[in-house]
Amino acid sequence: MLSDDELALIQAIHDTGSLTRAAAALGKAPSTVSHAARQLETRFDALLFDRRRYRLQLTPAGQLLAQEAQRLAQDVSRLTHRVKQVAGGWEERLWIVTDEILEFETFVPVIRAFDALQSGVSLRITHEVLNGTWEALRDGRADIVVGATNEPPAIPKLRWHELGVMEWVFAVSPRHPLAKVREPLQQEQLLPYRAVVVADSSRTIDRRGYGWLAGQQTLAAPSMRAKILLQRDGLGVGWLPRKRIQSLLKRGELMEKRVADAREPNVLYVAWRSDGVGRAMEWWLSQLQQPRLAQRLVQGIDVSL
């Protein structure tokens, strides 16, 4: 490691190209700067300064030393900050996994409020689908999960609270053949038509699916928004969140159809493990218990395109 004075010396010589001007910039006598430069070369047993030319320059070895010393100094500074951060009760990093059904845009104001704390905690926000969300928490790929569906599974030290309830509508395009079929629709009437689904992202936990029947053809969409758009264009049928298609229903771009075997509303959960709660997690859990935020997350964004 180099001291701050030694780093300043190397930088001054690099910037000025002159021992005299470097000394002036540092507020020291030229002889003092020259002696310090030779001590550095003795310490590293290497020629660090090229004195053969009109301008005093760093040799390749000197440039390497300057670059690496600066990098190490930055690393030490960051490490010092992280140690103080963790000692103050803040986590080094917080990983939040949301179910894909929650739009990321609704989290942006919360992230902005968290940044205002200046905690230094690095945030990572990713998403999973259905049981993939619970799996992320179980496997350590999440510190908090938001919007998880289905009943909480058996996970050691699991803690959770309800975020809210999501209501569903069986919706079809007015151009789809099912639009003209008398209600309530029976399972045998749905079976010939393709269902649009958002596939469960679980890797090991039993995968689940909603809105399709055994033997029914499916079209797997990458997101709930994509599913809505596909159904709006008559490319399949299925269950959609009521609050997110209000405008499409009002304009007649989608039609609500009653189904004999109706889908029950889903409870969405916020969950975490109690063995790693720091100040950042406490803050996020507190925010997610605020009724206005919870309602905004569950209702989502009305698709009006």
Side-chain angles (χ1 to χ4, degrees):
M1 288 296 299
L2 299 180
S3 68
D4 291 343
D5 286 344
E6 290 169 331
L7 281 172
L9 168 67
I10 293 174
Q11 190 62 49
I13 293 175
H14 177 267
D15 291 343
T16 64
S18 162
L19 192 64
T20 301
R21 287 193 292 271
L26 296 171
K28 297 181 178 181
S31 58
T32 301
V33 172
S34 178
H35 179 69
R38 293 193 181 282
Q39 280 189 317
L40 265 179
E41 290 179 318
T42 300
R43 176 177 165 189
F44 285 95
D45 192 23
L47 185 65
L48 305 177
F49 306 100
D50 188 347
R51 302 173 177 81
R52 298 172 300 171
R53 303 173 186 173
Y54 175 73
R55 285 178 55 84
L56 182 63
Q57 296 178 324
L58 296 177
T59 64
Q63 292 175 354
L64 175 64
L65 176 62
Q67 292 168 0
E68 290 301 301
Q70 187 65 40
R71 181 185 63 80
L72 288 171
Q74 292 171 350
D75 288 347
V76 169
S77 176
R78 283 193 290 266
L79 177 59
T80 301
H81 175 76
R82 286 162 56 194
V83 168
K84 291 180 179 179
Q85 174 183 319
V86 173
W90 293 103
E91 302 90 326
E92 182 179 353
R93 180 215 67 179
L94 189 69
W95 192 345
I96 300 171
V97 171
T98 73
D99 192 287
E100 190 283 326
I101 205 166
L102 304 182
E103 295 97 341
F104 180 76
E105 293 92 322
T106 55
F107 286 92
V108 172
V110 194
I111 297 170
R112 185 180 295 112
F114 182 71
D115 282 350
L117 301 177
Q118 298 183 334
S119 66
V121 178
S122 296
L123 282 180
R124 182 176 183 181
I125 302 177
T126 57
H127 72 253
E128 299 284 348
V129 179
L130 295 173
N131 277 342
T133 308
W134 290 115
E135 184 181 86
L137 184 62
R138 185 200 67 184
D139 294 348
R141 290 183 287 108
D143 299 307
I144 304 174
V145 295
V146 187
T149 56
N150 306 322
E151 289 296 319
I155 297 177
K157 300 183 179 180
L158 177 68
R159 298 290 183 271
W160 53 265
H161 66 77
E162 293 185 6
L163 183 68
V165 176
M166 180 171 288
E167 296 183 2
W168 299 88
V169 173
F170 191 85
V172 302
S173 165
R175 302 187 299 275
H176 194 278
L178 284 176
K180 298 180 181 180
V181 177
R182 181 179 299 177
E183 301 169 281
L185 301 178
Q186 305 296 322
Q187 287 194 0
E188 58 269 21
Q189 293 174 303
L190 303 179
L191 194 57
Y193 300 104
R194 182 169 63 180
V196 184
V197 301
V198 183
D200 193 324
S201 64
S202 173
R203 296 142 175 94
T204 57
I205 297 177
D206 291 340
R207 296 186 178 186
R208 293 194 180 186
Y210 287 105
W212 59 278
L213 305 171
Q216 187 178 20
Q217 185 183 7
T218 60
L219 169 59
S223 66
M224 180 55 68
R225 178 179 173 80
K227 174 174 159 62
I228 292 171
L229 297 179
L230 287 168
Q231 291 185 214
R232 182 199 65 179
D233 286 354
L235 298 175
V237 300
W239 295 93
L240 298 173
R242 178 178 293 278
K243 293 292 185 179
R244 297 182 189 178
I245 61 169
Q246 290 181 113
S247 294
L248 296 178
L249 290 171
K250 185 176 180 180
R251 295 202 303 262
E253 295 183 50
L254 280 172
M255 294 177 57
E256 179 178 357
K257 301 290 287 187
R258 288 189 300 111
V259 179
D261 187 12
R263 177 174 176 175
E264 295 294 325
N266 274 111
V267 177
L268 305 186
Y269 297 92
V270 174
W272 66 99
R273 294 171 67 156
S274 62
D275 54 353
V277 179
R279 291 175 66 182
M281 183 183 290
E282 287 178 346
W283 186 90
W284 274 88
L285 293 176
S286 173
Q287 297 300 305
L288 292 167
Q289 287 181 315
Q290 299 297 319
R292 290 182 62 184
L293 175 59
Q295 183 181 44
R296 188 164 70 245
L297 291 172
V298 174
Q299 290 187 352
I301 300 171
D302 186 7
V303 177
S304 57
L305 298 179

